[in-house]
């Protein structure tokens, strides 16, 4: 047990930054929120034994996921995580998967229009000198993949991203920006699902510049972003 705790510390792992765990090549792989992974020759149940039981779910043999980062559970028991990764839950436990979906209140898998009152409030920011947008968390047609739809963009967004506002609105983030970096997707999903706040700073390949992005939740299922071009 002490060896596991030391290994966690060595790899900068803690319950708060683990997204999911899975077995691969006789190892247990621990996947962090930032996309980094660490693997060790220890059974999954041993690794789970030092993690809080109320935070992680063992959804099938060799797979455990962070409960708060589940964004969808399909009718056939496929779990979609906040980074878009999908895992098949136990085939024999379909009733349990559906019960859990209702319990945690996962988002509707179909895109829908944003509340008009919120859109009206956003219109006050049309000419704000900082880029501002609101994106909605949605799923692909089979409910397994995570994506975002632009629901509001002010005029400055076009200057920051180099794309006209009308070409962004109501379109998928990854259709507007096919080369968009998905490493921030976890943070956007965390905001939309859990109401947390994040400040991101890194190179944006779609904008070809360094950006600082302040994110917050205006309504459940949505992530609002204030973007600034910054130095590296």
């Amino acid at each position: 047990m002490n060896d596991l705790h030391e290994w966690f510390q060595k790899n900068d792992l803690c319950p708060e930054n683990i997204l999911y765990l899975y077995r691969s090549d006789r190892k247990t792989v621990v996947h962090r929120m930032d996309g980094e992974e660490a693997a060790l020759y220890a059974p999954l149940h041993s690794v789970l034994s030092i993690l809080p039981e109320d935070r992680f779910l063992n959804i099938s043999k060799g797979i455990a996921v962070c409960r708060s980062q589940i964004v969808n559970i399909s009718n056939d028991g496929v779990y979609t995580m906040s980074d878009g990764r999908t895992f098949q839950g136990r085939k024999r436990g379909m009733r349990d998967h559906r019960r859990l979906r209702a319990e945690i209140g996962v988002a509707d898998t179909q895109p829908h229009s944003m509340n008009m009152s919120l859109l009206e409030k956003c219109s006050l920011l049309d000419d704000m000198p900082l880029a501002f947008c609101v994106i909605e968390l949605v799923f692909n047609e089979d409910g397994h993949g995570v994506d975002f739809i632009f629901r509001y963009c002010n005029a400055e967004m076009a200057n920051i991203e180099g794309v006209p506002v009308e070409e962004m609105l109501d379109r998928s983030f990854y259709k507007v920006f096919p080369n968009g970096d998905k490493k921030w997707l976890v943070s956007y999903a965390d905001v939309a699902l859990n109401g947390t706040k994040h400040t991101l700073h890194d190179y944006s390949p779609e904008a070809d510049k360094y950006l600082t992005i302040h994110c917050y939740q205006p309504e459940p299922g949505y992530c609002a972003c204030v973007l600034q071009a910054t130095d590296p």
Side-chain angles (χ1 to χ4, degrees):
M1 188 69 73
N2 288 335
D3 289 343
L4 275 176
H5 283 292
E6 291 177 3
W7 184 84
F8 264 60
Q9 292 177 353
K10 179 181 178 181
N11 289 278
D12 194 24
L13 292 167
C14 63
E16 290 74 22
N17 69 11
I18 297 175
L19 187 54
Y20 44 77
L21 308 91
Y22 61 94
R23 294 288 294 175
S24 177
D25 295 328
R26 295 183 296 171
K27 295 181 181 179
T28 295
V29 180
V30 184
H31 188 100
R32 293 193 335 195
M33 300 283 188
D34 62 4
E36 295 295 321
E37 292 189 333
L40 76 164
Y41 286 106
L44 178 61
H45 66 82
S46 297
V47 180
L48 287 176
S49 69
I50 67 170
L51 295 173
E53 290 185 11
D54 60 341
R55 289 195 183 209
F56 295 89
L57 294 171
N58 196 178
I59 63 171
S60 69
K61 184 178 180 180
I63 300 173
V65 300
C66 177
R67 181 188 179 97
S68 66
Q69 296 300 312
I70 300 169
V71 297
N72 191 46
I73 306 172
S74 71
N75 288 332
D76 53 353
V78 174
Y79 286 66
T80 300
M81 304 304 295
S82 58
D83 66 345
R85 182 79 176 265
T86 60
F87 297 103
Q88 175 65 60
R90 293 181 182 87
K91 289 289 188 179
R92 290 184 177 181
M94 290 304 173
R95 182 178 300 177
D96 291 334
H97 300 317
R98 291 164 186 160
R99 184 186 304 119
L100 178 60
R101 178 173 60 185
E103 177 187 335
I104 66 178
V106 294
D108 187 354
T109 59
Q110 297 301 317
H112 53 85
S113 298
M114 185 190 292
N115 187 307
M116 183 53 68
S117 64
L118 182 55
L119 281 176
E120 291 172 345
K121 293 174 184 177
C122 288
S123 67
L124 296 172
L125 306 175
D126 285 351
D127 298 317
M128 183 172 71
L130 294 176
F132 178 82
C133 69
V134 177
I135 53 180
E136 180 186 4
L137 175 69
V138 297
F139 304 95
N140 60 19
E141 292 180 357
D142 60 7
H144 295 174
V146 180
D147 200 353
F148 286 92
I149 301 293
F150 284 101
R151 294 305 187 193
Y152 173 81
C153 299
N154 70 357
E156 189 62 22
M157 272 290 292
N159 293 330
I160 287 286
E161 299 289 5
V163 177
V165 169
E166 58 270 19
E167 293 184 16
M168 291 187 280
L169 284 179
D170 297 321
R171 295 190 63 198
S172 159
F173 179 88
Y174 294 108
K175 287 185 178 178
V176 177
F177 304 112
N179 298 320
D181 197 329
K182 294 192 176 185
K183 65 186 175 185
W184 288 344
L185 189 149
V186 173
S187 295
Y188 295 152
D190 188 33
V191 172
L193 290 168
N194 302 314
T196 52
K197 296 180 181 179
H198 288 286
T199 297
L200 313 173
H201 177 70
D202 208 339
Y203 176 74
S204 170
E206 69 270 14
D208 191 25
K209 62 190 69 171
Y210 282 87
L211 297 177
T212 294
I213 307 176
H214 302 278
C215 308
Y216 68 95
Q217 184 197 72
E219 284 189 2
Y222 296 90
C223 176
C225 304
V226 179
L227 299 82
Q228 294 174 279
T230 56
D231 295 327

